[in-house]
Amino acid sequence: MLKDITLGQYFPGDTPIHRLDPRTKILLVVFYIVALFNASGFLTYGIMAAALITAQALARIRPSALLKGMKPVIMIIVLTAVLNLFYTPGEVIFQFWILKITREGVKTAFFMVLRIMMLISCTFMLTYTTSPISLTDGLETLLSPLKRIGLPVHELAMMMSIALRFIPTLIEETEKIMSAQKARGAQFDTGGIIDKAKAMLPILVPLFISSFRRADELAVAMEARCYHGGQGRTRLRELRYAPGDFAAIGLGVGLVVLVIILSRMGL
Amino acid sequence: MKVEGLTHVYSQGTPFQTTAIKNVSFELYKGQVAAVIGHTGSGKSTLIQHLNALIKPTEGRVLFKGRDINASKENMKAVRADVGLVFQYPEYQLFEETVYRDIAFGPKNQGLSEKEIDERVHRAAGFVGIEQRYLQVSPFELSGGQKRRAAIAGVIAMMPEVLILDEPMAGLDPAGREGIMANLMSYHEATGAALLIVTHSMDDAARYASRMIVMDHGTVALDGPTAEVFSHGEELTKMGLAVPTASLIADRLRQLGVPLEGSIYTLDLLEKEILRLRGGRENA
């Protein structure tokens, strides 16, 4: 059950999208989000959807994998749809008691839902096609100008990759501890909220303790291999832009400009 | 306890589908000390988690005293009290403020009275050799070996009729290993509980278990009295399992022309046999 978490999952592959530099992909996601928030009509949303579908087809990510990513935010999507549906003023097309549905409401609700779904899909495209290591590498290089104003970029990136690395380990550990406590007669699915919260204690305490122990061991192991922060540190894999990256960034910029112009024209 | 045609498939229907155990059947009798051996990935850990209904079999049944343990919620609950399972590195499941309260966790879940819980905690602590003064100490202040004992006590306190242990000696020094095994044997002798010990160590298996179940690639490869299983030395080696040290020494001595008799798989047996031969020669 815990193993089904897809958050930040990476599907290895060798497609044009997978081969793009992680920095390019991060930039593309940023461009895409900017364009998405500028889209306003059927034409612009259509262009945005087409761009997403092209990328998804190129990366050979199954649409079902993208839809699965929507599961955790389904409530937010529904709530957005309902609020927009009933609270947008305009021409009333359906009325029941105090609930009014307007033509504008239907339109905004539809576009808002589309926007949220595309927003989530494009970020999932990033994590599905980029391994966590190259993702943090890319982020670190992109953010490195911020070092000048004292932001510990390398340390942040390192923290991120360590956190990502330990998610599966923690899940495995949790399952093991749960089994062990169940073997001692613990029950996690009965009783009220307070009972359930109390039942978590035998899992959380050992989990915290082993996390601290693991952190300690990791720190010692890193120091033993002479890790001393980002200063003067070289990389195993240097990030280098390829011609494809320039083309992709060009396309991304083009998309933003096109969508902004079209929506200014009211399309 | 009876296991019939047990099969377990992990992640069925996904690309990660793997069959951990395949058509495993055996019976464990009251008061038996049995060892389950097999190299890494042979399905030992999956097997033992079935024995107290922590995982459900894909196929097959597990019967305890003639009842299918997965048949109902009550059966599952009951079997967890009667079949105690000690996981690998059990010290990582300690969580309470004091050793006493941690050992009391199992009996408390069984719904016993305060008085009974108290009695069981002291009894369990006695079995594993934890002194009274340590009971009010935080389990995290204990040494590694003592933590392991405290965790085992937590399962023993439920007074299971079958005690299953996954690698109870892993990561301990020889003195610690022997101590824990002696504790377990004393529990076995005092209560008549059956022990099922999962281990890598042929020496430990040979020394303590009267019966051995050898797992290989998810199936039971050999099952029988210890002496009989060790007579299949060649097959064991083929499965990547070592023969006990005492057997190796005995084989070497035989090659050198020492006429050792019988099946020898523990140092005690080897010593007896050598003494017998020497005694015989002196008499002659």
Side-chain angles (χ1 to χ4, degrees), chain B residues 146-172:
Chain B
Q146 283 174 320
K147 270 189 207 165
R148 175 85 47 103
R149 282 160 203 263
I152 293 175
V155 176
I156 285 184
M158 298 173 79
M159 293 288 155
E161 285 173 50
V162 181
L163 185 59
I164 305 170
L165 302 106
D166 194 352
E167 300 273 0
M169 282 96 67
L172 293 182

PDB file of all heavy atoms in Angstrom, chain B residues 146-172:
ATOM      1  N   GLN B 146      21.868  -6.367  24.782  1.00  0.00           N
ATOM      2  CA  GLN B 146      20.763  -6.281  25.744  1.00  0.00           C
ATOM      3  C   GLN B 146      19.482  -5.806  25.068  1.00  0.00           C
ATOM      4  O   GLN B 146      18.399  -6.261  25.394  1.00  0.00           O
ATOM      5  CB  GLN B 146      21.122  -5.313  26.870  1.00  0.00           C
ATOM      6  CG  GLN B 146      22.083  -5.926  27.871  1.00  0.00           C
ATOM      7  CD  GLN B 146      22.545  -4.908  28.881  1.00  0.00           C
ATOM      8  OE1 GLN B 146      22.806  -3.764  28.530  1.00  0.00           O
ATOM      9  NE2 GLN B 146      22.631  -5.320  30.119  1.00  0.00           N
ATOM     10  N   LYS B 147      19.640  -4.878  24.102  1.00  0.00           N
ATOM     11  CA  LYS B 147      18.467  -4.415  23.360  1.00  0.00           C
ATOM     12  C   LYS B 147      17.818  -5.597  22.664  1.00  0.00           C
ATOM     13  O   LYS B 147      16.603  -5.741  22.654  1.00  0.00           O
ATOM     14  CB  LYS B 147      18.897  -3.401  22.289  1.00  0.00           C
ATOM     15  CG  LYS B 147      18.901  -1.978  22.760  1.00  0.00           C
ATOM     16  CD  LYS B 147      19.121  -1.079  21.553  1.00  0.00           C
ATOM     17  CE  LYS B 147      19.783   0.198  21.981  1.00  0.00           C
ATOM     18  NZ  LYS B 147      20.334   0.964  20.889  1.00  0.00           N
ATOM     19  N   ARG B 148      18.659  -6.412  22.025  1.00  0.00           N
ATOM     20  CA  ARG B 148      18.150  -7.575  21.317  1.00  0.00           C
ATOM     21  C   ARG B 148      17.366  -8.468  22.282  1.00  0.00           C
ATOM     22  O   ARG B 148      16.277  -8.931  21.982  1.00  0.00           O
ATOM     23  CB  ARG B 148      19.343  -8.333  20.719  1.00  0.00           C
ATOM     24  CG  ARG B 148      19.051  -9.633  20.043  1.00  0.00           C
ATOM     25  CD  ARG B 148      18.635  -9.497  18.588  1.00  0.00           C
ATOM     26  NE  ARG B 148      19.455  -8.633  17.773  1.00  0.00           N
ATOM     27  CZ  ARG B 148      20.368  -9.064  16.886  1.00  0.00           C
ATOM     28  NH1 ARG B 148      20.586 -10.353  16.738  1.00  0.00           N
ATOM     29  NH2 ARG B 148      21.032  -8.214  16.163  1.00  0.00           N
ATOM     30  N   ARG B 149      17.950  -8.683  23.491  1.00  0.00           N
ATOM     31  CA  ARG B 149      17.262  -9.512  24.483  1.00  0.00           C
ATOM     32  C   ARG B 149      15.936  -8.898  24.894  1.00  0.00           C
ATOM     33  O   ARG B 149      14.928  -9.598  25.028  1.00  0.00           O
ATOM     34  CB  ARG B 149      18.121  -9.649  25.735  1.00  0.00           C
ATOM     35  CG  ARG B 149      19.228 -10.636  25.592  1.00  0.00           C
ATOM     36  CD  ARG B 149      20.277 -10.346  26.650  1.00  0.00           C
ATOM     37  NE  ARG B 149      21.545 -10.863  26.238  1.00  0.00           N
ATOM     38  CZ  ARG B 149      21.994 -12.052  26.646  1.00  0.00           C
ATOM     39  NH1 ARG B 149      21.286 -12.768  27.471  1.00  0.00           N
ATOM     40  NH2 ARG B 149      23.143 -12.488  26.209  1.00  0.00           N
ATOM     41  N   ALA B 150      15.942  -7.588  25.097  1.00  0.00           N
ATOM     42  CA  ALA B 150      14.713  -6.917  25.519  1.00  0.00           C
ATOM     43  C   ALA B 150      13.638  -7.093  24.451  1.00  0.00           C
ATOM     44  O   ALA B 150      12.477  -7.356  24.756  1.00  0.00           O
ATOM     45  CB  ALA B 150      14.975  -5.436  25.769  1.00  0.00           C
ATOM     46  N   ALA B 151      14.044  -6.964  23.177  1.00  0.00           N
ATOM     47  CA  ALA B 151      13.070  -7.085  22.095  1.00  0.00           C
ATOM     48  C   ALA B 151      12.521  -8.504  22.014  1.00  0.00           C
ATOM     49  O   ALA B 151      11.326  -8.709  21.800  1.00  0.00           O
ATOM     50  CB  ALA B 151      13.718  -6.697  20.767  1.00  0.00           C
ATOM     51  N   ILE B 152      13.408  -9.490  22.224  1.00  0.00           N
ATOM     52  CA  ILE B 152      12.940 -10.878  22.201  1.00  0.00           C
ATOM     53  C   ILE B 152      11.998 -11.125  23.378  1.00  0.00           C
ATOM     54  O   ILE B 152      10.963 -11.783  23.246  1.00  0.00           O
ATOM     55  CB  ILE B 152      14.140 -11.857  22.207  1.00  0.00           C
ATOM     56  CG1 ILE B 152      14.910 -11.721  20.889  1.00  0.00           C
ATOM     57  CG2 ILE B 152      13.667 -13.283  22.407  1.00  0.00           C
ATOM     58  CD1 ILE B 152      16.170 -12.543  20.804  1.00  0.00           C
ATOM     59  N   ALA B 153      12.334 -10.520  24.525  1.00  0.00           N
ATOM     60  CA  ALA B 153      11.466 -10.648  25.706  1.00  0.00           C
ATOM     61  C   ALA B 153      10.078 -10.114  25.401  1.00  0.00           C
ATOM     62  O   ALA B 153       9.073 -10.655  25.865  1.00  0.00           O
ATOM     63  CB  ALA B 153      12.072  -9.908  26.895  1.00  0.00           C
ATOM     64  N   GLY B 154      10.009  -9.055  24.595  1.00  0.00           N
ATOM     65  CA  GLY B 154       8.725  -8.473  24.233  1.00  0.00           C
ATOM     66  C   GLY B 154       7.817  -9.460  23.524  1.00  0.00           C
ATOM     67  O   GLY B 154       6.596  -9.377  23.622  1.00  0.00           O
ATOM     68  N   VAL B 155       8.422 -10.397  22.796  1.00  0.00           N
ATOM     69  CA  VAL B 155       7.619 -11.410  22.111  1.00  0.00           C
ATOM     70  C   VAL B 155       7.356 -12.591  23.047  1.00  0.00           C
ATOM     71  O   VAL B 155       6.241 -13.112  23.115  1.00  0.00           O
ATOM     72  CB  VAL B 155       8.309 -11.868  20.811  1.00  0.00           C
ATOM     73  CG1 VAL B 155       7.532 -12.994  20.158  1.00  0.00           C
ATOM     74  CG2 VAL B 155       8.436 -10.695  19.857  1.00  0.00           C
ATOM     75  N   ILE B 156       8.399 -12.957  23.819  1.00  0.00           N
ATOM     76  CA  ILE B 156       8.238 -14.084  24.746  1.00  0.00           C
ATOM     77  C   ILE B 156       7.145 -13.785  25.777  1.00  0.00           C
ATOM     78  O   ILE B 156       6.416 -14.679  26.197  1.00  0.00           O
ATOM     79  CB  ILE B 156       9.593 -14.396  25.439  1.00  0.00           C
ATOM     80  CG1 ILE B 156      10.510 -15.116  24.440  1.00  0.00           C
ATOM     81  CG2 ILE B 156       9.391 -15.226  26.688  1.00  0.00           C
ATOM     82  CD1 ILE B 156      11.825 -15.550  25.024  1.00  0.00           C
ATOM     83  N   ALA B 157       6.996 -12.494  26.135  1.00  0.00           N
ATOM     84  CA  ALA B 157       6.004 -12.116  27.149  1.00  0.00           C
ATOM     85  C   ALA B 157       4.586 -12.475  26.716  1.00  0.00           C
ATOM     86  O   ALA B 157       3.688 -12.554  27.541  1.00  0.00           O
ATOM     87  CB  ALA B 157       6.094 -10.623  27.432  1.00  0.00           C
ATOM     88  N   MET B 158       4.389 -12.684  25.423  1.00  0.00           N
ATOM     89  CA  MET B 158       3.063 -13.088  24.967  1.00  0.00           C
ATOM     90  C   MET B 158       2.868 -14.588  25.154  1.00  0.00           C
ATOM     91  O   MET B 158       1.805 -15.126  24.856  1.00  0.00           O
ATOM     92  CB  MET B 158       2.878 -12.713  23.497  1.00  0.00           C
ATOM     93  CG  MET B 158       2.960 -11.215  23.257  1.00  0.00           C
ATOM     94  SD  MET B 158       2.932 -10.792  21.513  1.00  0.00           S
ATOM     95  CE  MET B 158       1.188 -10.930  21.159  1.00  0.00           C
ATOM     96  N   MET B 159       3.897 -15.268  25.658  1.00  0.00           N
ATOM     97  CA  MET B 159       3.873 -16.706  25.908  1.00  0.00           C
ATOM     98  C   MET B 159       3.370 -17.502  24.704  1.00  0.00           C
ATOM     99  O   MET B 159       2.400 -18.254  24.777  1.00  0.00           O
ATOM    100  CB  MET B 159       2.986 -17.025  27.132  1.00  0.00           C
ATOM    101  CG  MET B 159       3.562 -16.492  28.426  1.00  0.00           C
ATOM    102  SD  MET B 159       4.995 -17.454  28.900  1.00  0.00           S
ATOM    103  CE  MET B 159       5.883 -16.241  29.898  1.00  0.00           C
ATOM    104  N   PRO B 160       4.029 -17.319  23.559  1.00  0.00           N
ATOM    105  CA  PRO B 160       3.579 -18.042  22.365  1.00  0.00           C
ATOM    106  C   PRO B 160       3.901 -19.526  22.461  1.00  0.00           C
ATOM    107  O   PRO B 160       4.866 -19.916  23.121  1.00  0.00           O
ATOM    108  CB  PRO B 160       4.385 -17.386  21.245  1.00  0.00           C
ATOM    109  CG  PRO B 160       5.605 -16.862  21.913  1.00  0.00           C
ATOM    110  CD  PRO B 160       5.207 -16.491  23.310  1.00  0.00           C
ATOM    111  N   GLU B 161       3.063 -20.337  21.826  1.00  0.00           N
ATOM    112  CA  GLU B 161       3.326 -21.771  21.811  1.00  0.00           C
ATOM    113  C   GLU B 161       4.327 -22.123  20.722  1.00  0.00           C
ATOM    114  O   GLU B 161       4.952 -23.168  20.757  1.00  0.00           O
ATOM    115  CB  GLU B 161       2.026 -22.537  21.562  1.00  0.00           C
ATOM    116  CG  GLU B 161       1.146 -22.547  22.787  1.00  0.00           C
ATOM    117  CD  GLU B 161      -0.206 -23.151  22.470  1.00  0.00           C
ATOM    118  OE1 GLU B 161      -0.238 -24.247  21.893  1.00  0.00           O
ATOM    119  OE2 GLU B 161      -1.222 -22.512  22.798  1.00  0.00           O
ATOM    120  N   VAL B 162       4.407 -21.243  19.735  1.00  0.00           N
ATOM    121  CA  VAL B 162       5.422 -21.408  18.698  1.00  0.00           C
ATOM    122  C   VAL B 162       6.185 -20.095  18.642  1.00  0.00           C
ATOM    123  O   VAL B 162       5.579 -19.033  18.537  1.00  0.00           O
ATOM    124  CB  VAL B 162       4.789 -21.680  17.312  1.00  0.00           C
ATOM    125  CG1 VAL B 162       5.866 -21.867  16.264  1.00  0.00           C
ATOM    126  CG2 VAL B 162       3.862 -22.863  17.357  1.00  0.00           C
ATOM    127  N   LEU B 163       7.490 -20.167  18.770  1.00  0.00           N
ATOM    128  CA  LEU B 163       8.298 -18.949  18.722  1.00  0.00           C
ATOM    129  C   LEU B 163       9.161 -19.010  17.461  1.00  0.00           C
ATOM    130  O   LEU B 163       9.941 -19.945  17.281  1.00  0.00           O
ATOM    131  CB  LEU B 163       9.165 -18.846  19.979  1.00  0.00           C
ATOM    132  CG  LEU B 163       9.992 -17.579  20.141  1.00  0.00           C
ATOM    133  CD1 LEU B 163       9.105 -16.348  20.168  1.00  0.00           C
ATOM    134  CD2 LEU B 163      10.807 -17.644  21.431  1.00  0.00           C
ATOM    135  N   ILE B 164       8.957 -18.027  16.596  1.00  0.00           N
ATOM    136  CA  ILE B 164       9.696 -18.001  15.343  1.00  0.00           C
ATOM    137  C   ILE B 164      10.689 -16.851  15.392  1.00  0.00           C
ATOM    138  O   ILE B 164      10.313 -15.731  15.761  1.00  0.00           O
ATOM    139  CB  ILE B 164       8.742 -17.812  14.149  1.00  0.00           C
ATOM    140  CG1 ILE B 164       7.658 -18.893  14.180  1.00  0.00           C
ATOM    141  CG2 ILE B 164       9.503 -17.834  12.834  1.00  0.00           C
ATOM    142  CD1 ILE B 164       6.557 -18.654  13.188  1.00  0.00           C
ATOM    143  N   LEU B 165      11.924 -17.107  15.047  1.00  0.00           N
ATOM    144  CA  LEU B 165      12.928 -16.050  15.101  1.00  0.00           C
ATOM    145  C   LEU B 165      13.667 -15.957  13.775  1.00  0.00           C
ATOM    146  O   LEU B 165      14.137 -16.964  13.254  1.00  0.00           O
ATOM    147  CB  LEU B 165      13.935 -16.305  16.230  1.00  0.00           C
ATOM    148  CG  LEU B 165      13.316 -16.427  17.616  1.00  0.00           C
ATOM    149  CD1 LEU B 165      13.329 -17.866  18.059  1.00  0.00           C
ATOM    150  CD2 LEU B 165      14.039 -15.548  18.608  1.00  0.00           C
ATOM    151  N   ASP B 166      13.739 -14.749  13.243  1.00  0.00           N
ATOM    152  CA  ASP B 166      14.462 -14.533  11.993  1.00  0.00           C
ATOM    153  C   ASP B 166      15.871 -14.062  12.337  1.00  0.00           C
ATOM    154  O   ASP B 166      16.046 -12.959  12.843  1.00  0.00           O
ATOM    155  CB  ASP B 166      13.731 -13.483  11.147  1.00  0.00           C
ATOM    156  CG  ASP B 166      14.231 -13.451   9.710  1.00  0.00           C
ATOM    157  OD1 ASP B 166      15.238 -14.123   9.426  1.00  0.00           O
ATOM    158  OD2 ASP B 166      13.623 -12.741   8.897  1.00  0.00           O
ATOM    159  N   GLU B 167      16.832 -14.888  12.080  1.00  0.00           N
ATOM    160  CA  GLU B 167      18.241 -14.557  12.342  1.00  0.00           C
ATOM    161  C   GLU B 167      18.449 -13.919  13.712  1.00  0.00           C
ATOM    162  O   GLU B 167      18.939 -12.796  13.804  1.00  0.00           O
ATOM    163  CB  GLU B 167      18.743 -13.573  11.274  1.00  0.00           C
ATOM    164  CG  GLU B 167      18.665 -14.094   9.869  1.00  0.00           C
ATOM    165  CD  GLU B 167      19.884 -14.882   9.458  1.00  0.00           C
ATOM    166  OE1 GLU B 167      20.805 -15.023  10.300  1.00  0.00           O
ATOM    167  OE2 GLU B 167      19.911 -15.373   8.339  1.00  0.00           O
ATOM    168  N   PRO B 168      18.089 -14.617  14.792  1.00  0.00           N
ATOM    169  CA  PRO B 168      18.179 -13.963  16.098  1.00  0.00           C
ATOM    170  C   PRO B 168      19.611 -13.623  16.508  1.00  0.00           C
ATOM    171  O   PRO B 168      19.828 -12.786  17.369  1.00  0.00           O
ATOM    172  CB  PRO B 168      17.579 -15.001  17.060  1.00  0.00           C
ATOM    173  CG  PRO B 168      17.717 -16.309  16.364  1.00  0.00           C
ATOM    174  CD  PRO B 168      17.594 -16.005  14.906  1.00  0.00           C
ATOM    175  N   MET B 169      20.591 -14.247  15.865  1.00  0.00           N
ATOM    176  CA  MET B 169      21.965 -14.026  16.307  1.00  0.00           C
ATOM    177  C   MET B 169      22.742 -13.082  15.395  1.00  0.00           C
ATOM    178  O   MET B 169      23.908 -12.818  15.646  1.00  0.00           O
ATOM    179  CB  MET B 169      22.716 -15.354  16.368  1.00  0.00           C
ATOM    180  CG  MET B 169      22.411 -16.183  17.582  1.00  0.00           C
ATOM    181  SD  MET B 169      21.143 -17.410  17.251  1.00  0.00           S
ATOM    182  CE  MET B 169      21.925 -18.504  16.136  1.00  0.00           C
ATOM    183  N   ALA B 170      22.082 -12.564  14.342  1.00  0.00           N
ATOM    184  CA  ALA B 170      22.807 -11.738  13.370  1.00  0.00           C
ATOM    185  C   ALA B 170      23.465 -10.538  14.033  1.00  0.00           C
ATOM    186  O   ALA B 170      22.843  -9.836  14.826  1.00  0.00           O
ATOM    187  CB  ALA B 170      21.851 -11.266  12.278  1.00  0.00           C
ATOM    188  N   GLY B 171      24.713 -10.318  13.712  1.00  0.00           N
ATOM    189  CA  GLY B 171      25.417  -9.128  14.189  1.00  0.00           C
ATOM    190  C   GLY B 171      25.841  -9.168  15.643  1.00  0.00           C
ATOM    191  O   GLY B 171      26.196  -8.130  16.202  1.00  0.00           O
ATOM    192  N   LEU B 172      25.791 -10.336  16.284  1.00  0.00           N
ATOM    193  CA  LEU B 172      26.240 -10.400  17.678  1.00  0.00           C
ATOM    194  C   LEU B 172      27.586 -11.126  17.744  1.00  0.00           C
ATOM    195  O   LEU B 172      27.916 -11.921  16.878  1.00  0.00           O
ATOM    196  CB  LEU B 172      25.225 -11.159  18.529  1.00  0.00           C
ATOM    197  CG  LEU B 172      23.864 -10.511  18.743  1.00  0.00           C
ATOM    198  CD1 LEU B 172      23.022 -11.388  19.646  1.00  0.00           C
ATOM    199  CD2 LEU B 172      24.022  -9.133  19.347  1.00  0.00           C
TER     200      LEU B 172
END
